[in-house]
Amino acid sequence: MVRETSTFETGVDGWTTPVTGLAFTRDAYGTPSVNTGPYAGAGGSTFYMYCETSGQSYQTFDMQKTFAAGQELYAIAFQYHKYGSTMGSAVLEGSADGASWVSLWSQSGNFGNQWNQATVYADPGQLMVRFTYTAGSSFTG
């Protein structure tokens, strides 16, 4: 079993964006809009990935990662930060082939100015994961 960690401290760690929507953005030290997003990465990290929703109401952002053949995804643990009065919906999906996707986790709404932890177990045979975020109705999403 291979354990892989993405901290985004030195880049995007093999995540591709955008796949079908708008791009997630690698950032540090706070989002450009007040009362939204984190001011630092999770667990003492500086960098994080986020969706800049200014002018992007109801748009979809995405990023995905494919694991090498022979590696099988059993679980994914991650931190998420959903702070803003018009937060949209975040979804994590898994796939064996990139053609069909199954939902593994989803959250909607404002969770406050804090990092939250999630651990999700994947179905057997999945080699790909994809995060999608559908923006809320304003720049505070």
Side-chain angles (χ1 to χ4, degrees):
M1 177 167 64
V2 175
R3 181 182 175 132
E4 198 167 310
T5 302
S6 293
T7 65
F8 306 114
E9 292 300 297
T10 59
V12 295
D13 294 330
W15 290 88
T16 57
T17 183
V19 180
T20 59
L22 298 170
F24 273 66
T25 301
R26 181 176 168 266
D27 195 29
Y29 309 115
T31 63
S33 304
V34 296
N35 297 319
T36 66
Y39 294 100
S45 297
T46 302
F47 288 88
Y48 52 89
M49 300 294 285
Y50 85 104
C51 302
E52 178 52 56
T53 61
S54 296
Q56 306 297 337
S57 298
Y58 302 113
Q59 294 293 317
T60 300
F61 299 78
D62 62 22
M63 67 180 196
Q64 82 180 32
K65 187 165 189 167
T66 302
F67 298 91
Q71 293 181 354
E72 190 168 331
L73 180 66
Y74 292 99
I76 181 170
F78 58 96
Q79 291 84 29
Y80 62 97
H81 194 285
K82 293 189 75 216
Y83 175 49
S85 61
T86 59
M87 288 303 299
S89 300
V91 177
L92 173 66
E93 299 172 296
S95 177
D97 58 9
S100 60
W101 294 85
V102 71
S103 180
L104 303 174
W105 171 92
S106 66
Q107 291 288 347
S108 295
N110 183 1
F111 282 65
N113 192 6
Q114 65 188 13
W115 285 100
N116 301 286
Q117 173 75 36
T119 301
V120 178
Y121 297 96
D123 293 337
Q126 293 181 338
L127 296 173
M128 304 170 81
V129 290
R130 171 173 72 185
F131 280 101
T132 59
Y133 174 72
T134 303
S137 60
S138 169
F139 73 93
T140 59

